[in-house]
């Protein structure tokens, strides 16, 4: 292994600018004459807008739907039968359907002045009853979010199985019902958009903090009825995405329209209140799940009824179907059982649309199935680890199709679980539990295990008929005249470290010095089309494309090199950046010089594409990569205050071949921190009228440095049989495992007094209520 | 989240501040550390015409000592107290409480006077200073007066301050050498406001025996004679005779009937008492 090739923990190239404060984000762009935008957003969850009163003096500065003739709403349709469509207007037309929905935009020289204007505009809302709870939304007579639908269900997914037989005979039946909180993704940088219309070129530039620039380009083109080629989207440095920026935002379309309308460069920077209340919601699920097992704790069947509160509109391009669909398809996970019934519904409500957050649906379903494993453990009196070992797919069964026909391609799940459990020393926790704690706290250990199907490709995503289906991922690789390497990709790195890992991949193939490889991204003007960075696809797809293009460059360079060495092209090799023949060698730098500057020395049959290649990549089997992990936690629960402390935390992950283990560990730790947030802290509560109640970070609680323990990461390595280098997607898993592992640990701690908790987050109040229920003073 | 347009003055003395605050033609707000007012301005919950910045007034950053008390200027920051730039008359209590407020960045700017004037029931000074019988020195149109902390706060974000009253100092009683104090708060995470808190001061030499339950949706609940709480015992083992029902009853009387809330506050108080014994 080269010290900077695939497998090396090279320090990240991008950190040089980030650590020196030299990153450049949307808010750092200044264009002369630029105006600031403040949105007027609906203060009520469900209403008909009667009139918008704009004082005479402000008429030139306020824009509402009435001005935006011809602008199309965002329609994130799917081809799934029965899917009910929503059309989200860029600015509200007749109705508003959630608090925070955009009603008008105000333009001024500063944001403060724009907010003054917003405050001077009066909107008459005639309030309608709001649909706030997803279960109530399905009751007969519930108010309707979209009148024409007749009910509040975007779509329902069903997997059927003859459960009744098992139900009659199974020795063990366990049922759990719980909710995961609606919460908010919170990248450090919120959204932001700068839009600029160039009258001379008839050219629109949209600078946006996005994970998927070409999807934004396509979406803006669609809404404004413009050609793609007249729109340039730039995504500069992005301070975290997590899915929050993996979509077409109304604000992007609104500002694109506004700059064309006014001819002025315009900017909107999301503030924290907009971020929390109007935009970033995710993850709200309800489960009622039953597991049937035999007397040995062997799982026989699972029966689940799940709802996802999808909010008011379907988001582009993932659609409101995604999360509910994945609940049904991913719930069985790595467990080997054959009778599975599940119904999952995407329910519309008068809340902001839920967005796909790191580990879409997996976090909830992992908690659901693992709760069943724990419940079976308690019924049988066996260790929760042991119950899982009895039910996991075994290594010798690989490749394995689970009950949902997910093609598990390899690995040893039981071993992964054993290693995670050993890392926290479950036996030592048991001994400690018998001794009791001097401070009266209750100790518990918990585990979870799951797989992360990443980089799902055309074969998986096309059946949904979403607006944008991922296909071949392209990269452009160019050997420059001085022998350096320039790589351009359409994926976007906003924390994943692609500027480093993609360079490692190219270095591995071509041997160009790591320091002389530059990865460029984030501009539709020079980057090949991509569906962007999401779904743990960056290194699998973008990296695969870089490898493919680099290999083609290698072939072309070898031809030229062989000519210069007067050797047979079949006899030369490429090593350490040199084409090596039987007699002597020539550097890529010399070869580049010949192509660009002294072409008189080129072979007569040279490939006229030269030393620049744009190549597409898709694994032959694009069902996705199957990385997996087991999380293990030790917690202490304070029965007096209801506070939970994580005493120890370990993750054992099989991410296949790791391009940069340090970057992978960072991904796992960051994701785990978010999963801890999901489990213990984060919640966006709503009142009965649909008002979001956590509008600042005083009320919306995120884990901080003090709440995230030292997360120990262990690795296993089962290369993917399908991808370049055997890499697998690992971007999301960190955020999937923690709630299941921590809930398991907390319930293990509460076990001695017979209490149990399930609803997320595990607030002190919920712990204390559970204790009070079993009569603990 | 940008404030409305406002004017800004930074007077150099108390008289100047009071003169500005007395203006009848404009809505005036005092600005100290800005750690609570800043967000309120940005959220437009406060929309003053004029901000009077108090941090240029030297007198508000002074400390005065007498035989039985210490007077801390209103603009002394939490960090000043934490770092010991203020003499210790409380057997280390003030520095310890200051150390537990929010994060260092907030403590660098937030002031003891601003904290009391803001009157957030979950705040630390509101609870602890009520427990030790501190007083608030106020200057306003009516001259100078001293109000006990427990009477200063009248409700959630409400105080006895008239619109142009200025908190100039906090008077801290000097503890006896054998005084025992405890302060416990339960926070969901480091630096977060407490959801339950309690403080106790057991100073037999001065015949002071006080306890406070804080972080309730009201002014702090003060047990001015907390003897009953430890079965009328005194000394190092009062925790052993702690009677949680006394705390629960006090909550009940104050209108807080939720048993879980009562329990967690009683736990906080027990732990404050345990701390007092361990010192
Ligand atoms: C993230 C964060 C976390 C926090 N956590 C905690 C915590 O855990 N515990 C805690 O106790 N506090 C906490 N605080 C609040 C902090 O302690 C503030 O310092 C305090 O509430 C206000 O003090 P200030 O000097 O900043 O006052 P300012 O914000 O300047 O003013 C607050 C109010 O008091 C008025 N005022 C200020 N000084 C005077 C005066 N001398 N006379 C009359 N009126 C005056 C102002 O007009 C204003 O209405 C937190 C704050 C933040 C931002």
């Amino acid at each position: 292994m080269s010290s900077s090739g695939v497998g090396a923990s090279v320090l990240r190239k991008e950190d040089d600018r980030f650590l020196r404060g030299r990153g450049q984000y949307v808010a750092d762009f200044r264009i002369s004459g630029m105006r600031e935008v403040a949105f007027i957003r609906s203060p009520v969850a469900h209403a008909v807008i009667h009139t918008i009163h704009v004082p005479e003096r402000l008429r030139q500065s306020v824009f509402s739907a009435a001005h935006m003739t011809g602008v199309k709403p965002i329609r994130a349709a799917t081809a799934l039968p029965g899917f009910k469509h929503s059309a989200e207007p860029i600015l509200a037309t007749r109705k508003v359907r959630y608090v925070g929905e955009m009603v008008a935009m105000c333009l001024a020289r500063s944001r403060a002045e724009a907010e003054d204007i917003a405050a001077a505009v009066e909107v008459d809302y005639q309030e309608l009853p709001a649909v706030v709870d997803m279960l109530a939304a399905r009751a007969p007579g519930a108010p309707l979010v979209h009148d024409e639908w007749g009910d509040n269900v975007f779509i329902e997914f069903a997997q059927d199985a003859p459960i009744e037989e098992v139900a009659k005979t199974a020795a063990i039946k366990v049922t759990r019902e719980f909710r995961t909180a609606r919460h908010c993704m919170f990248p450090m940088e919120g959204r932001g958009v700068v839009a600029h219309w160039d009258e001379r070129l008839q050219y629109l530039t949209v600078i946006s903090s996005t994970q998927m620039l070409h999807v934004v380009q396509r979406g803006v083109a669609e809404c404004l009825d413009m050609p793609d080629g007249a729109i340039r989207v730039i995504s500069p440095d992005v301070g975290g995405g997590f899915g929050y920026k993996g979509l077409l935002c109304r604000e992007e379309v609104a500002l694109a329209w506004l700059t064309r309308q006014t001819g002025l460069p315009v900017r909107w920077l999301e503030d924290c209140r907009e971020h929390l209340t109007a935009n970033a919601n995710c993850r709200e699920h309800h489960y009622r799940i039953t597991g049937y097992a035999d007397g040995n704790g062997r799982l026989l069947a699972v029966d689940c009824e799940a709802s996802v509160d999808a909010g008011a509109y379907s988001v582009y391009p993932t659609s409101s179907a995604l999360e509910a669909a994945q609940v049904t398809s991913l719930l069985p996970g790595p467990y080997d059982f054959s009778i599975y019934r599940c119904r999952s519904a995407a329910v519309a409500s008068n809340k902001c649309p839920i967005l796909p957050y790191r580990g879409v649906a997996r976090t909830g379903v992992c908690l659901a199935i693992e709760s069943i494993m724990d419940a079976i453990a308690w019924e049988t009196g066996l260790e929760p680890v042991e119950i899982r070992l009895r039910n996991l797919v075994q290594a010798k069964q690989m490749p394995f199709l689970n009950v949902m026909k997910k093609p598990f391609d390899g690995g040893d799940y039981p071993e992964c679980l054993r290693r995670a459990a050993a890392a926290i020393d479950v036996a030592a926790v048991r001994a400690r539990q018998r001794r009791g704690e001097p401070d009266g706290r209750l100790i518990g250990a918990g585990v979870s295990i799951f797989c992360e199907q990443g980089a799902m490709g055309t074969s998986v995503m096309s059946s949904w008929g979403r607006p944008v289906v991922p296909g071949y991922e392209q990269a452009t690789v160019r050997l420059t005249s001085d022998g350096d390497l320039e790589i351009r990709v359409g994926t976007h790195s906003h924390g994943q470290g692609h500027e480093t890992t993609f360079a490692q991949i190219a270095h591995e193939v071509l041997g160009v010095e790591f320091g002389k490889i530059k990865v460029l991204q984030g501009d539709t003007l020079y980057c090949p089309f991509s569906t962007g960075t999401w779904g743990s696809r960056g290194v699998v797809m973008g990296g695969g494309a870089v490898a493919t293009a680099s290999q083609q460059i290698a072939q072309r360079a070898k031809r030229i090199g062989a000519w210069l060495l007067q050797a047979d092209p079949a006899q030369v090799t490429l090593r350490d950046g040199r084409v090596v023949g039987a007699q002597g060698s020539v550097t890529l730098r010399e070869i580049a010089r010949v192509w660009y500057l002294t072409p008189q020395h080129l072979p007569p049959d040279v490939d006229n594409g030269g030393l620049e290649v744009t190549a597409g990549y898709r694994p032959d089997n694009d069902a996705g990569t199957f990385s997996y992990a087991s999380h293990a936690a030790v917690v202490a629960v304070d029965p007096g205050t209801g506070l939970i402390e994580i005493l120890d935390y370990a993750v054992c992950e099989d991410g296949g071949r790791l391009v940069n283990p340090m970057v992978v560990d960072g991904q796992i730790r960051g994701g785990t921190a978010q999963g801890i947030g999901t489990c213990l802290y984060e919640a966006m509560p709503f009142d009965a009228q649909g008002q979001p109640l956590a509008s600042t970070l005083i009320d919306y609680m995120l884990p901080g440095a003090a709440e995230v323990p030292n997360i120990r990461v262990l690795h296993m390595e089962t290369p993917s049989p399908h991808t370049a280098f055997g890499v697998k997607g690992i971007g999301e898993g960190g955020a999937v495992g923690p709630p299941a592992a921590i809930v398991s640990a907390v319930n293990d701690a509460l076990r001695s007094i017979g209490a149990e908790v399930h609803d997320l987050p595990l607030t002190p109040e919920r712990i204390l209520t559970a204790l009070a229920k079993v009569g603990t003073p | 989240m940008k404030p409305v347009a406002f004017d800004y003055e930074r007077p150099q003395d108390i008289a100047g501040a009071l003169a500005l605050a007395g203006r009848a033609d404009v809505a005036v707000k005092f600005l100290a550390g800005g750690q609570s007012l800043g967000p309120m301005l940005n959220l437009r919950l406060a929309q003053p015409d004029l901000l009077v910045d108090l941090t240029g007034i030297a007198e508000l950053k002074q400390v005065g000592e007498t035989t039985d008390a210490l007077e801390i200027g209103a603009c002394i920051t939490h960090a000043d107290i934490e770092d010991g730039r203020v003499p210790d008359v409380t057997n280390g209590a003030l520095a310890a409480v200051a150390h537990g407020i929010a994060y260092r960045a907030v403590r660098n700017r937030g002031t003891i006077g601003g904290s009391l004037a803001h009157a957030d029931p979950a705040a630390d000074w509101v609870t602890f200073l009520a427990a030790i019988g501190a007083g608030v020195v106020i200057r306003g149109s009516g001259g100078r007066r001293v109000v006990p902390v427990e009477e200063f706060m009248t409700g959630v974000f409400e105080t006895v301050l008239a619109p142009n009253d200025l908190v100039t100092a906090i008077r801290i009683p000097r503890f006896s050498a054998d005084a025992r104090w405890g302060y416990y708060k339960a926070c969901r995470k480091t630096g977060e406001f407490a959801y339950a808190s309690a403080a106790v001061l057991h100073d037999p030499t001065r015949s002071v025996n006080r306890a406070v339950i804080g972080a309730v949706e009201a002014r702090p609940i003060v047990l001015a004679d907390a003897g009953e709480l430890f079965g009328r015992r005194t000394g190092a083992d009062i925790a052993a005779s702690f009677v949680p029902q006394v705390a629960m009853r006090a909550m009940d009387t104050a209108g807080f009937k939720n048993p879980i809330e009562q329990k967690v506050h009683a736990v906080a108080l027990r732990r404050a008492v345990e701390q007092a014994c361990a010192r």
Side-chain angles (χ1 to χ4, degrees):
Chain A
M1 182 178 82
S2 136
S3 63
S4 44
V6 169
S9 285
V10 206
L11 292 184
R12 302 198 323 167
K13 281 172 179 276
E14 44 273 77
D15 285 341
D16 184 66
R17 70 175 184 280
F18 292 147
L19 296 177
R20 291 174 208 276
R22 290 178 189 152
Q24 202 184 15
Y25 301 86
V26 170
D28 296 315
F29 284 78
R30 296 288 146 84
I31 301 176
S32 129
M34 188 167 74
R35 297 289 193 278
E36 301 280 345
V37 171
F39 287 101
I40 295 175
R41 294 175 183 270
S42 173
V44 291
H46 199 191
V48 170
I49 299 176
H50 279 309
T51 41
I52 301 175
H53 303 281
V54 181
E56 188 62 46
R57 66 189 164 87
L58 300 175
R59 292 269 156 89
Q60 300 303 312
S61 313
V62 179
F63 303 84
S64 63
H67 298 88
M68 298 179 80
T69 40
V71 176
K72 292 192 201 120
I74 296 175
R75 283 177 68 87
T78 77
L80 295 165
F83 182 79
K84 300 197 193 79
H85 296 270
S86 65
E88 180 175 22
I90 305 305
L91 296 177
T93 45
R94 199 181 67 85
K95 241 185 160 192
V96 283
R97 293 187 174 84
Y98 63 93
V99 172
E101 186 162 359
M102 287 154 42
V103 173
M105 45 187 163
C106 306
L107 196 59
R109 281 177 197 281
S110 70
R111 172 69 181 245
E113 288 164 290
E115 289 185 22
D116 289 346
I117 295 171
V121 174
E122 277 175 40
V123 185
D124 290 341
Y125 299 96
Q126 183 199 330
E127 277 199 66
L128 301 169
V131 182
V132 183
D133 179 82
M134 61 181 140
L135 300 187
R138 301 189 67 182
L144 294 178
V145 178
H146 298 278
D147 298 323
E148 62 283 7
W149 287 10
D151 64 15
N152 287 316
V153 180
F154 277 102
I155 188 165
E156 218 177 332
F157 297 89
Q159 176 73 18
D160 208 7
I163 221 101
E164 292 75 11
E165 278 308 299
V166 196
K168 266 184 242 147
T169 55
I172 292 171
K173 174 188 175 184
V174 287
T175 298
R176 294 293 182 273
E177 185 170 353
F178 68 95
R179 284 172 188 260
T180 60
R182 179 169 271 251
H183 62 276
C184 293
M185 306 173 241
F186 210 90
M188 300 255 265
E189 182 204 19
R191 285 181 186 160
V193 184
V194 172
H196 167 44
W197 174 246
D198 183 328
E199 186 62 32
R200 181 177 70 88
L201 296 174
Q202 296 287 297
Y203 198 62
L204 172 69
T205 301
V206 177
I207 306 170
S208 182
S209 182
T210 181
Q211 299 169 227
M212 34 182 70
L213 43 153
H214 294 90
V215 171
V216 172
Q217 181 187 42
R218 184 81 281 279
V220 170
E222 222 168 279
C223 290
L224 298 186
D225 200 13
M226 288 174 70
D228 284 20
I231 302 170
R232 175 185 183 188
V233 177
I234 298 172
S235 184
D237 284 330
V238 168
F242 313 118
Y244 187 40
K245 301 164 182 178
L247 52 131
L248 172 69
C249 305
R250 297 145 296 183
E251 291 92 347
E252 287 160 339
V253 181
L255 268 82
W257 175 85
L258 187 60
T259 186
R260 267 185 91 185
Q261 181 72 18
T262 60
L264 296 166
V266 292
R267 176 170 89 161
W268 165 75
L269 298 177
E270 182 179 62
D271 67 30
C272 187
R273 183 165 43 180
E274 293 177 298
H275 183 156
L276 286 170
T277 61
N279 279 336
N281 287 202
C282 56
R283 286 242 204 287
E284 187 177 12
H285 295 193
H286 173 270
Y287 293 88
R288 192 183 150 77
I289 182 168
T290 300
Y292 298 93
D294 69 16
N296 296 320
R298 188 76 178 83
L299 185 64
L300 303 171
V302 169
D303 190 8
C304 179
E305 182 104 25
S307 302
V308 172
D309 185 332
Y313 298 102
S314 178
V315 297
Y316 182 105
T318 44
S319 92
S320 57
L322 173 74
E323 189 128 352
Q326 295 210 342
V327 165
T328 290
S329 70
L330 298 178
L331 192 137
Y335 290 107
D336 179 15
F337 64 99
S338 55
I339 302 178
Y340 175 51
R341 184 164 75 180
C342 185
R343 288 224 312 264
S344 58
V347 181
S349 67
N350 288 116
K351 296 192 272 192
C352 76
I354 65 162
L355 310 180
Y357 181 26
R358 194 175 198 173
V360 182
R362 294 168 179 79
T363 308
V365 297
C366 177
L367 176 59
I369 193 86
E370 295 291 58
S371 300
I372 289 302
M373 287 297 152
D374 283 341
I376 294 172
W378 296 326
E379 288 293 318
T380 56
L382 290 166
E383 275 287 342
V385 170
E386 175 57 29
I387 284 294
R388 287 168 173 82
L389 291 175
R390 288 184 187 187
N391 287 295
L392 282 170
V393 52
Q394 303 295 308
K396 60 179 186 301
Q397 290 172 274
M398 294 293 178
F400 169 75
L401 286 183
N402 78 354
V403 64
M404 283 304 289
K405 304 280 178 287
K406 291 286 180 190
F408 287 67
D409 56 18
D412 189 340
Y413 287 70
E415 178 59 18
C416 182
L417 175 62
R418 273 191 289 266
R419 288 191 195 182
I424 60 161
D425 199 346
V426 176
V429 174
R430 294 283 170 257
R432 194 172 160 181
Q433 282 173 325
R434 283 191 294 274
R435 283 197 306 274
E437 296 296 303
D439 61 5
R441 292 197 297 177
L442 303 165
I443 305 295
V447 291
S448 67
I449 183 162
F450 58 91
C451 81
E452 176 186 357
Q453 186 184 6
M456 289 189 267
T458 317
S459 62
V460 182
M461 307 303 274
S462 59
S463 57
W464 305 44
R466 4 180 285 160
V468 185
V469 176
Y472 285 90
E473 185 69 33
Q474 294 177 313
T476 301
V477 175
R478 173 201 277 165
L479 203 56
T480 56
S481 67
D482 52 4
D484 287 6
L485 202 68
E486 187 187 283
I487 298 173
R488 288 178 265 137
V489 289
T491 50
H492 192 278
S493 174
H494 33 273
Q496 297 87 345
H498 293 169
E499 289 170 54
T500 304
T501 50
F502 288 3
Q504 287 179 260
I505 288 170
H507 170 77
E508 182 77 26
V509 177
L510 287 168
V512 174
E513 213 180 297
F514 178 70
K516 297 194 164 169
I517 303 175
K518 188 158 191 65
V519 177
L520 296 168
Q521 58 164 17
D523 194 333
T524 55
L525 201 59
Y526 53 70
C527 295
F529 183 91
S530 170
T531 58
T533 298
W534 53 276
S536 301
R537 70 192 298 279
V539 157
V540 177
M541 299 302 296
V546 169
T548 307
S550 298
Q551 281 150 5
Q552 293 182 18
I553 293 278
Q555 288 313 317
R556 293 185 189 178
K558 281 201 299 195
R559 278 205 81 81
I560 301 174
W563 173 261
L564 297 176
L565 292 170
Q566 301 193 351
D568 176 353
Q571 301 300 312
V572 298
T573 54
L574 178 63
R575 262 204 325 267
D576 300 331
R578 315 174 77 89
V579 172
V580 184
Q583 256 108 52
S585 68
V586 53
T587 62
L588 287 175
R589 187 191 167 111
E590 287 161 331
I591 291 168
R593 190 177 163 75
V594 170
W595 167 262
Y596 290 103
L597 309 176
T598 57
Q600 62 273 28
H601 301 307
L602 286 171
D605 62 344
V606 69
D607 186 324
N608 64 14
L611 298 174
E612 174 165 339
V613 168
T614 298
Y617 169 81
R618 192 170 87 186
D620 295 335
N621 176 336
D622 75 347
T625 56
F626 283 77
S627 58
Y628 58 97
S630 177
H631 286 220
V634 181
V635 302
V637 182
D638 183 335
T641 57
L643 284 171
I644 295 164
E645 186 190 351
I646 300 173
L647 302 177
D648 193 12
Y649 203 100
V651 178
C652 181
E653 164 113 11
D654 186 340
R657 184 91 181 277
L658 307 184
V659 174
N660 183 322
M662 178 198 70
V663 168
V664 171
D665 287 356
Q667 288 288 308
I668 293 171
R669 292 204 173 94
T672 301
Q674 289 176 310
I676 290 170
T678 299
C679 189
L680 298 181
Y681 302 106
E682 298 184 47
M684 171 56 75
F686 286 79
D687 72 9
Q689 285 71 46
Q691 279 297 333
L693 299 177
S695 62
T696 72
L697 291 180
I698 285 278
D699 298 312
Y700 189 82
M701 210 163 282
L702 292 158
E707 286 70 47
V708 178
N710 175 21
I711 297 156
R712 294 181 288 133
V713 184
L714 316 171
H715 293 283
M716 291 167 59
E717 186 176 312
T718 313
S720 166
H722 307 304
T723 64
F725 308 109
V727 300
K728 296 176 179 177
I730 50 83
E732 299 171 276
V736 174
I742 296 168
V743 167
S744 172
V746 168
N747 284 332
D748 186 56
L750 300 183
R751 198 74 208 131
S752 58
I753 44 179
E756 218 180 297
V757 285
H758 290 286
D759 288 334
L760 298 187
L762 302 181
T763 58
E765 199 186 345
R766 286 195 168 125
I767 298 287
L768 294 171
T769 306
L771 291 175
K773 234 195 235 160
V774 295
T776 308
Chain B
M1 287 219 278
K2 301 284 181 205
V4 295
F6 54 79
D7 289 327
Y8 171 88
E9 297 279 358
R10 193 164 187 262
Q12 298 304 301
D13 53 31
I14 290 176
L18 289 176
L20 288 165
R23 278 178 58 181
D25 53 331
V26 289
V28 182
K29 266 275 173 201
F30 291 126
L31 172 72
Q35 297 304 292
S36 296
L37 186 56
M40 290 180 41
L41 289 170
N42 283 341
L43 290 164
R44 298 197 173 192
L45 294 172
Q47 304 198 357
D49 303 304
L50 172 65
L51 268 194
V52 177
D53 186 342
L54 303 175
T55 57
I57 303 173
E59 207 184 322
L60 296 181
K61 290 188 199 152
Q62 278 161 9
V63 178
E65 239 179 308
T66 62
T67 46
D68 62 349
L70 176 78
E71 243 178 54
I72 301 180
C75 282
I76 298 279
T77 64
H78 312 322
D80 288 333
I81 299 168
E82 173 182 21
D83 295 350
R85 282 188 290 276
V86 169
D88 177 24
V89 298
T90 58
N91 302 350
L94 288 196
V97 172
H99 175 68
I101 298 175
Y103 322 94
R104 181 71 195 196
V106 173
R107 301 197 288 271
N108 281 339
R109 286 188 167 269
T111 66
I112 188 167
S115 199
L116 286 173
H118 186 59
D120 184 331
D124 293 271
W125 290 132
V126 166
T127 302
F128 191 74
L129 295 178
I132 66 170
V136 185
V137 183
I138 302 171
R139 292 259 306 264
S141 45
R144 181 176 185 278
R145 64 193 200 276
V146 182
V147 178
V149 169
E150 63 201 274
E151 288 166 25
F152 175 79
M153 184 171 162
T154 53
V156 179
F157 302 120
E158 283 169 6
T159 66
V160 298
L161 290 176
N164 52 1
D165 274 347
L166 181 68
V167 174
T168 57
I170 317 301
R171 182 177 292 173
I172 310 289
R174 191 183 289 273
F175 292 9
S176 313
D178 59 352
R180 299 173 173 280
W181 62 271
Y183 178 60
Y184 184 87
K185 60 173 177 170
C187 306
R188 283 187 63 194
K189 50 177 267 202
T190 306
E192 216 52 52
F193 279 100
Y195 61 90
S197 71
V200 63
L201 175 62
H202 182 60
D203 190 347
T205 311
R206 290 194 300 131
S207 304
V208 173
N209 219 356
R210 293 170 64 89
V212 164
I213 294 169
V216 290
E217 278 295 295
R219 58 150 77 178
I221 301 170
V222 179
L223 305 172
D225 173 11
E228 210 194 335
L229 199 57
F230 352 98
R232 297 274 157 217
R233 293 234 269 202
T234 59
D237 59 350
I238 48 175
S241 49
F242 181 77
V243 189
Q245 288 75 9
V246 175
M248 302 213 187
R249 216 179 311 128
M251 293 215 33
D252 220 67
T253 311
F256 297 95
K257 316 258 179 207
N258 176 335
I260 285 172
E261 209 183 337
Q262 287 188 0
K263 171 190 153 167
V264 72
H265 282 88
V267 166
L269 189 48
R270 174 196 290 273
R271 290 183 186 176
V273 174
E274 281 166 358
Q275 262 185 25
C277 293
R279 257 179 249 280

